[in-house]
Amino acid sequence: MERKEFRDLATPEEARAAIDSLSLEGGLERVSLENARGRVLAARLDAELDVPGFDRASLDGYALRARDTFGADEADPARLAVVGEVHAGEEPDVALEEGQAVEISTGAVMPDGADAMVPVERTDIDGEGDDVLVRTSVAPGDNVMFAGADVAAGERALGPGTQITPRDIGLLSALGIDEIPVRAPPKVGIVSTGDELVRPGEDLHSDRGEIYDVNSYTIAAGVEDAGGEAVLYPHAGDEQDEMERILREAAEECDLVLSSGSTSASAVDVIYRVIEEQGELLLHGVSVKPGKPMLVGRLQDSAYVGLPGYPVSAMMVFRTFVAPAIREAAGVPEPRAATVTGAMAREERYAEGRTRLMPVGLIEDSNGETLVYPVDKGSGATTSLAEADGVVEVGPETDYLEEGESVTVRLFSPDVRPPTLLGVGEDDPTLNGLLDGLENPRYLSVGTRPGLRRLREGVPDVAVAAGPLDRTVDAEELGRWSREWGLVTQAGNPKEVEDLADLVERDLRFVNRTSDSGLRSSLEAALSDLATDRDASARDLREAIDGFDLGLRAHESPARKVIAGEADVALGLRETADRLDLGFVPVGEQSVRVLANPDRTGKESVRELAAALEGEFGTESDE
Amino acid sequence: MERKEFRDLATPEEARAAIDSLSLEGGLERVSLENARGRVLAARLDAELDVPGFDRASLDGYALRARDTFGADEADPARLAVVGEVHAGEEPDVALEEGQAVEISTGAVMPDGADAMVPVERTDIDGEGDDVLVRTSVAPGDNVMFAGADVAAGERALGPGTQITPRDIGLLSALGIDEIPVRAPPKVGIVSTGDELVRPGEDLHSDRGEIYDVNSYTIAAGVEDAGGEAVLYPHAGDEQDEMERILREAAEECDLVLSSGSTSASAVDVIYRVIEEQGELLLHGVSVKPGKPMLVGRLQDSAYVGLPGYPVSAMMVFRTFVAPAIREAAGVPEPRAATVTGAMAREERYAEGRTRLMPVGLIEDSNGETLVYPVDKGSGATTSLAEADGVVEVGPETDYLEEGESVTVRLFSPDVRPPTLLGVGEDDPTLNGLLDGLENPRYLSVGTRPGLRRLREGVPDVAVAAGPLDRTVDAEELGRWSREWGLVTQAGNPKEVEDLADLVERDLRFVNRTSDSGLRSSLEAALSDLATDRDASARDLREAIDGFDLGLRAHESPARKVIAGEADVALGLRETADRLDLGFVPVGEQSVRVLANPDRTGKESVRELAAALEGEFGTESDE
């Protein structure tokens, strides 16, 4: 068996056409009215009865003959004999003659002989109670809803393809319909492959390179967002027979099979073989980034799409090519108003000759203009999507986007609410609590230095900086607090670490933070002081520390290395040590400052953050 | 016990404030990742681990020491000894020394000693297979994703109040989280009252004024649209003890109780009594139309809102006042982009001194401008909502809206797609089939005469006219077909009706169509011909027919009176008689013409309808 040759990558249009050529339809099913909301009607429904089914009083009052009220008014009422009453839900037991009236409730059946009614407010009961005085004149039909006036038998009630709203449910209820034929959602089987994948909730062994399976649940949620029914298959390892068995089982049970993560050569071989034997491969590789390694074909009677393994690539290919086809098969229209126009917050270069699907975040400047910034942490990073609001499609002929250039962003869904506040900088537990009190903030904990750099570039609203501050930052300080930092040890400090000097002098395995972090800056400053005291070079002290160069990104990561027994001492906060029940040797205090972009101090969310800071720590914007 | 006095109607703002003062929150619950989509996070989630948990190769290739590649290029590659291999999901069993490389797969753990990797495309295996030639130089960290680079332990992952998207599910998966704390949807009990109500699916006795219960299912769907959980209680009649029992049960089990349909005085009394004894009434009556009779209060520990009984009033009050409170309690934000601006298609007068919630339909003119027209069939009519797209709120100080005036329409939901084609006129089975082939049409079967009138007023795109045509209509005929009309009888024509003359001469109970219908026009024309033949007056002939004045609205309604035994002969179509297995005596043929608004013939949907007509019947636009 030889692999088919797909020498050239397909264009995005060819990929769409290949998927459109597949049939994903899920067939029909019947659902009860209670479960009809959001479903798509499979056939036209005509009214089988008149609504209302009888001539109906619209108000409480008196049914009568309109001609008996001719000329009546406040001053000269018509006197009619009350010959009975009809309530809602009752069959009238009287018929009206000339000069007579029947008391009637809202919604009740108009008695024979009556052709109009008058509301009780325009009448008086005569002293004896047997007569009513009508103080207005009415025309035939007044205050009566005739049979079929709402819906008439034989009328087209709802057309095929209608997505059922609460209002349609009202109409169906009125027609007495308690079950409707709807399109069954296309059944989409999801097969993630790779020996390194572990299902969330299970134990993870990072030492042997295990990672949690991201694609299965993410793609399943995407399938459901698009109106499909997701079926998760057991996670297939790279073992060939097992993978083949799962693919065949999925193809038998589903309208579409999606695989992802088959990056190893042996996995690709299995998929090729199964498709060649039991179906047809239509397309291999598409000229988009991320997402190049995409397969489209047929597997038995099912459609098949192979998604790339990296989560971002998988989701981008899914959203761009697969979700529209699922929507089409489900009969769920593409959401309206899911695009936003904004200005590029900074220049973006790109020249690879294929269409780029660029995840972007959105933030409003102080004039309410939408700024668009690329979010790219690599296609292996799940946060590339979680920190983005939508996608800008950049054509293969575009080499770069200028700062300020207008771009169209397709939001991930029409309900996406871009963040009200964009913050960047140091990771800090106190900050996390402050953010909880704000409406929909986004915070990127990139560290103090990169945070300040981004603030200078003008994209974020605020930056959070810890430790010694670079004085050249042009920003307005909104508030600050201080935090205690030092050395985190095993619980109870079994190695009896006493101070920073121990790190230099003793044989302790240390874990540092990266030089992006304010904690690292404070550590380096303390080491310089120690060097001065000892008349030594700071560089020598640093080199004497085992693990000084092992810098981790987040404030808790070093402490977790201590828990794992991979280090004796970690750089960290007292707050972290307390939370994780570890020992702590204090070394110093550092300020954490919240610095606002000077152009954004008028923004409501920035003012709210300033107020929250003032409420928590008081004002102390002088240093 | 006395009723509290609520002499003045509350303003809409007061009604909102009263509902805001109630607590509808549903508490917390935990859901699995598979069921997390769309749920609202109840608490912040921080990362408990680094993602990835190890330094990870980003590509297939060779792990190595960056410094060993210094100066290497295509012409002068670096030669390294291959000392092992690492696949994804494996723990490396080698460590690298200077001058060595390890073959590595995408996603695998970087072995100790390696600080970078080079993709396989930039290498060649040396003839022997033990060495690799590296044809590029790399820097430390190149093609490696460091531990924690995606998410770092301790980082704020998702804030409280986040509505979970597929992308958030990706992030949660990456963190290994398989269960999250979410807000429980507020539980909303729905109690419809009224002796006349019958649940859809059950038999309906129109003779005693029964109607199907519209509010229960409609409000339930609205509750779910707003993020609540609807609980339908057994339908309460007007019997006081039963109603009280159901209200108390609902209050015990739910966060909010909604009742509707308690229009009878005794029902209102029960509700007043239960609320006075077990809660508090905050508000009675609000100054909006439709919807005036609204109650707000507390019932035991539950919130309570009494909705009006008429479906349109109930839905309007629900949408305007209750749905936002449910959304707030569910933590589901009000949908963005749910408003549209358009121009009034015609003048609308209104002067009642209270806020009007006016259901409107939308249609585009040929320039793509949105026209807005009121849909008002009375608040008893379910089609007032089903035929509308949204609501215009008209303040109490506004007496009228001018034609062309710009208004803001709040759509019923952000997914509302206004119809592509608006048609009005005669009801016809052939037409219904044609409409099925179009994308999202709306057709109002108001009859031929009102249809032509509306076409002249300029709102609809097309009108459909049957029978003798008023020649003054300024319209372009898109196509036509002909239909056979006559007398519909019991199956097998037991009364041996032979022709129109029988109606005049014999003692037959007849059911007519209203004078709006083209069928009625053809009948009148045929009777005039008969009168001419007989040298009689048409009026005398009409008066000789028993039931001539009993005109029903839709083309099937008269035939159904024959089925019900209430009439011997009905005016109708052969198509209807055939479908309902009834007898049919042909009287004549009439043309059904589809006439386009001359300003809209360029509209895509109108052209599509014209093409469908031509495909079905050919072109014959001459008469």
Side-chain angles (χ1 to χ4, degrees), chain B residues 113 254 290 374 376 379 588 618:
Chain B
C254 298
D376 194 354
S379 45

Side-chain angles (χ1 to χ4, degrees), chain B residues 73-189:
Chain B
D73 59 19
E74 282 296 331
D76 184 19
R79 174 182 295 265
L80 300 175
V82 179
V83 296
E85 51 185 319
V86 201
H87 294 292
E90 280 178 10
E91 185 165 359
D93 56 3
V94 287
L96 265 167
E97 308 282 327
E98 201 177 322
Q100 294 182 337
V102 165
E103 194 183 334
I104 195 164
S105 316
T106 305
V109 181
M110 289 288 288
D112 280 351
D115 62 5
M117 67 151 294
V118 66
V120 67
E121 293 80 5
R122 309 304 299 272
T123 64
D124 286 305
I125 287 297
D126 185 54
E128 311 303 310
D130 292 336
D131 287 353
V132 61
L133 302 177
V134 178
R135 299 191 179 278
T136 185
S137 65
V138 287
D142 276 5
N143 304 314
V144 178
M145 186 176 198
F146 288 107
D150 190 355
V151 190
E155 239 182 273
R156 185 177 194 271
L158 293 173
T162 302
Q163 191 175 14
I164 303 295
T165 65
R167 296 166 294 125
D168 297 322
I169 285 177
L171 181 55
L172 293 168
S173 299
L175 294 171
I177 297 172
D178 64 341
E179 202 185 73
I180 58 171
V182 295
R183 292 205 200 182
K187 216 166 160 181
V188 182

Side-chain angles (χ1 to χ4, degrees), chain B residues 256-280:
Chain B
L256 167 65
V257 177
L258 297 176
S259 70
S260 80
S262 318
T263 48
S264 76
S266 67
V268 171
D269 281 344
V270 174
I271 287 169
Y272 263 97
R273 184 160 50 77
V274 176
I275 290 186
E276 292 284 336
E277 284 173 19
Q278 313 249 328
E280 186 186 359

Side-chain angles (χ1 to χ4, degrees), chain A residues 37 44 48 50 58 89 148 150 152 155-156 167 176 201 208 212 225 310 382-383 388 436 445 553-554 557 560, chain B residues 37 44 48 50 58 89 148 150 152 155-156 167 173 176 201 208 225 310 382-383 388 436 445 553-554 557 560:
Chain A
R37 188 176 66 94
R44 186 180 78 226
E48 295 281 330
D50 286 336
S58 298
D150 189 356
E155 240 183 272
R156 186 178 192 272
R167 296 166 293 125
R208 58 174 189 253
Y212 283 114
D225 249 12
Y310 272 143
T382 53
T383 40
D436 288 351
S445 55
R553 257 195 72 229
S557 303
R560 287 177 184 271
Chain B
R37 188 177 66 95
R44 185 180 79 226
E48 294 282 330
D50 285 336
S58 298
D150 190 355
E155 239 182 273
R156 185 177 194 271
R167 296 166 294 125
S173 299
R208 56 173 190 254
D225 249 12
Y310 272 143
T382 53
T383 41
D436 288 350
S445 55
R553 256 194 74 228
S557 303
R560 286 178 185 270

Side-chain angles (χ1 to χ4, degrees), chain A residues 511-531:
Chain A
V511 200
N512 209 341
R513 291 288 305 282
T514 58
S515 54
D516 286 343
S517 90
L519 222 45
R520 167 78 164 252
S521 307
S522 285
L523 173 65
E524 304 228 8
L527 277 176
S528 292
D529 291 348
L530 187 62

Side-chain angles (χ1 to χ4, degrees), chain A residues 454-466:
Chain A
R454 294 199 193 186
L455 189 69
R456 278 191 295 265
E457 288 170 358
V459 180
D461 297 317
V462 296
V464 177

Side-chain angles (χ1 to χ4, degrees), chain A residues 470-549:
Chain A
D470 178 351
R471 285 331 210 109
T472 65
V473 179
D474 174 25
E476 179 168 323
E477 184 173 322
L478 299 182
R480 66 164 76 174
W481 59 94
S482 107
R483 62 184 190 178
E484 201 175 3
W485 67 276
L487 306 177
V488 178
T489 70
Q490 301 275 9
N493 192 5
K495 301 264 181 181
E496 297 178 345
V497 179
E498 288 185 359
D499 56 21
L500 207 52
D502 281 358
L503 274 192
V504 178
E505 289 153 17
R506 292 175 50 190
D507 185 19
L508 294 166
R509 291 168 305 159
F510 178 65
V511 200
N512 209 341
R513 291 288 305 282
T514 58
S515 54
D516 286 343
S517 90
L519 222 45
R520 167 78 164 252
S521 307
S522 285
L523 173 65
E524 304 228 8
L527 277 176
S528 292
D529 291 348
L530 187 62
T532 308
D533 287 352
R534 300 187 165 199
D535 213 7
S537 88
R539 184 181 165 162
D540 288 345
L541 295 195
R542 287 198 300 266
E543 288 191 349
I545 298 176
D546 174 20
F548 190 87
D549 289 336

